[in-house]
Every structure is written in structure tokens, then in C-alpha cells.
Amino acid sequence: MDKISIIVPCYNEEKVLPLFYAETAKAVADINDAECEFLFIDDGSSDHTPEILQSLTFRDKRCRYLSFSRNFGKEAAMYAGLQNATGDYCVLMDADLQHPPALLKEMYRVLKTEGYDCCAGFREDRTGEGYLRNFLSRSFYRLCERLCDLKMQDGAGDFRMMKRAMVDSILSCREYNRYMKGLFSFVGFDTKWIPFHNTPRAAGETKWSFLSLFRYAMDGIFSFSTMPVTLAGITGGLFFTVSALMGIALLILLLLHHTIGSLAPIVCLILFLNSIQLLFISVLGQYISKDYMENKNRPIYIVKRTGGF
């Protein structure tokens, strides 16, 4: 009999976890030809999430959990889940019930009968999200597709069921700076998309602020594209050409005994060019810092305690 591992990253999800477990357990009960396990990854929660996970392991032998020593981030939690899952099929889904458990049966059927390696949920709309957040998210995915040469359309998230071969390929990518949406595209494999409507969180509050989303977006771009460095070089070349032409023009005016006038435009130009230079130094610094973290070879996560193993 096949085994499905349901991997659930959790960070301060005490309000929604009982609801998630009840809904998902009811959904997987309809999958007759496969057994399921629940693998919860507590990403250093500061509320009662660990206690709830411990109680679930006592109530249901299918439940296991890992608890990190601190908050390592969702990317590390997903990696830990895939690394410790024992199923022939692995599912990644959020604990907030914005990923519909009812789709799990159809995902399994698709992988079992249609020859796909992955079946992923595709969010058709962003009902309930603000206009600014919606606009920024769509813009990021368009930018990422152009810069990173990866298929990352808006609405494609982490909610998916994968066969073991695809999971093993993702685990073989052991970089410290992880961006799972990029890795899903990078490893390839045939994916079928199933649409679903966006729904509000069942309980609790989102952990994603605009600042954290911005950092996450930058991680994705710098992890899968060297285009920012290329753009820095092209822009630097253009500004060098413009400044050289301006310098020649000023020299000609001086030789012809023309007065130059106020120095304010020249000062502004110098400040502008210096700001561009500092910006591109920052771009290079991002790549150097990521390489620095990779070379440290630190663990992606550290487990404090486990349950159900």
C-alpha cells in the first residue's frame, strides 16, 4: 500500500492546528488505497504549538513532529519535512487551511493514474488580500520569470503532492539559502496544476509582513539569477559613456573660453553617480554574503525535540 506524508510547517499556529488536523484527517479518510502520516515541523514557535503537536502524537499514531531550537524559517521547515518524510508521496501544505485538504484525494489520483510527478494547487484569485499586496505579488512573479528563467507564475505556491523521485531531487540541492518555489521549477518533472479559490485563514494571524515578503522575494531573485550583476555592468557602462561625453563637452567649453556657470549641476551629477555605484556595490554584496553563508556549511536547521518517532 502507498504511503502519503503530509508535511506541515508550523510557526505560532496554536489557534488553527486543531482545526487543520480535524479537516485534514477527515479528507484523507476518503483515500482508500493509501495510508497517511502527518509530519508537523514546529519552526521555533513561542506559543503553545509544541504542546498541541505533542498531544496530537498521543491521540493519533500517524502524527509525528520535529521542533526546532529556534525560528529557522519556512524554507528550512519544508526541507526538514521532506528530509524526514517516509512516504512514497509527499505533500507540502500550510496549517492555516488556505490550502484545501479536500484536494488531497484528487492530487493522489492524478499522480497514481495520469503519469505526472507532481500535482500542485494553483490559486485562481487573491480574494481578501489588499490591492497593494496583490499588485506587488503579481509584479514579483513576472519579474522572477524574466530574471531567473524559471516557470513561476502568479498563484503557484508550495501546496503540492510529489512522487519520491522528485522529493529526492529537491533534497539533493543542499544549499543553505533555499528558495523552494525556485527549486520546484529547477528540478523539472511533470506537474499538473489544480485550481482553487483563495480563502481567509481559518484562525490566527499571518506571519508574513511586507518586509518579510520583500526579503523573501529578494532571496528568490538572488538565489536563481545573476541578472542583477549583468544589469549593474550594463548601467555602469552607460553612465561611464555619458559622463565621458559630458567631460569632453566641458573641456571643449573651457578651451573655447566659455564660462561653465554654477557647479550645482555637476555636484548633483556626482552624487547621483555615487548613489548608483553604492547601489551596485550592494548588489554584489548580496551575492558575496550568500556565498559566505554557503561556505560556512552551517546546518539548515537544528532539532530541539521530536515526537512520534
Side-chain angles (χ1 to χ4, degrees):
M1 179 179 287
D2 292 329
K3 186 175 185 180
I4 301 173
S5 296
I6 301 173
I7 300 163
V8 190
C10 307
Y11 179 60
N12 293 342
E13 299 288 6
E14 63 178 1
K15 294 181 180 179
V16 77
L17 269 175
L19 297 173
F20 170 85
Y21 170 75
E23 288 294 321
T24 309
K26 182 169 64 175
V28 299
D30 290 336
I31 304 177
N32 298 319
D33 49 348
E35 60 179 356
C36 295
E37 69 167 354
F38 293 86
L39 181 52
F40 297 94
I41 311 298
D42 168 33
D43 189 18
S45 298
S46 57
D47 62 359
H48 295 292
T49 293
E51 289 82 357
I52 294 174
L53 296 181
Q54 189 175 39
S55 68
L56 287 177
T57 62
F58 293 150
R59 290 167 49 191
D60 190 340
K61 297 302 181 183
R62 298 176 299 174
C63 294
R64 300 186 294 150
Y65 77 91
L66 299 174
S67 188
F68 288 171
S69 59
R70 65 169 177 83
N71 179 245
F72 282 88
K74 186 181 178 182
E75 302 296 306
M78 289 191 287
Y79 176 76
L82 293 175
Q83 195 174 44
N84 289 274
T86 59
D88 307 290
Y89 302 85
C90 292
V91 180
L92 290 169
M93 60 190 308
D94 293 342
D96 55 15
L97 286 176
Q98 289 187 299
H99 295 161
L103 291 183
L104 293 176
K105 183 176 182 180
E106 176 63 13
M107 286 180 168
Y108 176 67
R109 186 199 67 78
V110 167
L111 297 188
K112 192 71 175 176
T113 63
E114 297 186 15
Y116 288 95
D117 304 293
C118 174
C119 186
F122 179 81
R123 188 166 51 178
E124 290 186 294
D125 55 67
R126 293 184 175 273
T127 304
E129 292 188 0
Y131 173 80
L132 178 60
R133 186 164 180 164
N134 193 350
F135 170 76
L136 292 175
S137 179
R138 293 180 185 278
S139 300
F140 164 70
Y141 280 105
R142 285 196 294 267
L143 180 65
C144 225
E145 279 197 319
R146 293 184 179 182
L147 293 183
C148 304
D149 194 26
L150 296 173
K151 294 181 180 179
M152 295 173 58
Q153 56 184 329
D154 181 36
D158 302 318
F159 181 35
R160 62 191 61 221
M161 182 182 292
M162 299 171 284
K163 290 183 177 178
R164 174 53 60 177
M166 183 173 177
V167 171
D168 290 341
S169 296
I170 293 172
L171 291 175
S172 68
C173 303
R174 298 184 59 83
E175 60 257 39
Y176 181 84
N177 301 286
R178 304 186 68 80
Y179 184 69
M180 291 295 280
K181 289 184 178 67
L183 290 176
F184 295 143
S185 178
F186 171 77
V187 298
F189 293 94
D190 296 324
T191 300
K192 180 173 182 177
W193 298 94
I194 297 181
F196 68 93
H197 293 288
N198 190 49
T199 56
R201 287 178 60 93
E205 299 178 354
T206 180
K207 313 307 183 296
W208 293 94
S209 64
F210 276 109
L211 180 58
S212 60
L213 287 171
F214 176 77
R215 289 174 177 171
Y216 186 61
M218 291 301 100
D219 283 341
I221 291 173
F222 286 116
S223 294
F224 282 91
S225 176
T226 58
M227 185 58 70
V229 176
T230 304
L231 292 176
I234 294 172
T235 307
L238 290 175
F239 276 108
F240 173 79
T241 303
V242 172
S243 62
L245 292 175
M246 290 182 66
I248 294 172
L250 290 173
L251 181 60
I252 292 174
L253 289 174
L254 286 173
L255 290 175
L256 295 175
H257 304 289
H258 287 280
T259 57
I260 302 301
S262 175
L263 291 177
I266 299 176
V267 173
C268 290
L269 177 62
I270 292 173
L271 292 175
F272 177 70
L273 293 176
N274 282 340
S275 66
I276 294 294
Q277 189 177 40
L278 290 173
L279 175 63
F280 292 149
I281 289 174
S282 175
V283 169
L284 293 174
Q286 287 290 326
Y287 287 102
I288 293 172
S289 64
K290 288 187 178 297
D291 185 60
Y292 171 70
M293 294 303 297
E294 294 291 343
N295 289 329
K296 280 179 175 291
N297 200 28
R298 287 176 176 171
I300 297 174
Y301 63 90
I302 298 173
V303 176
K304 183 178 180 180
R305 59 177 173 267
T306 63
F309 284 84

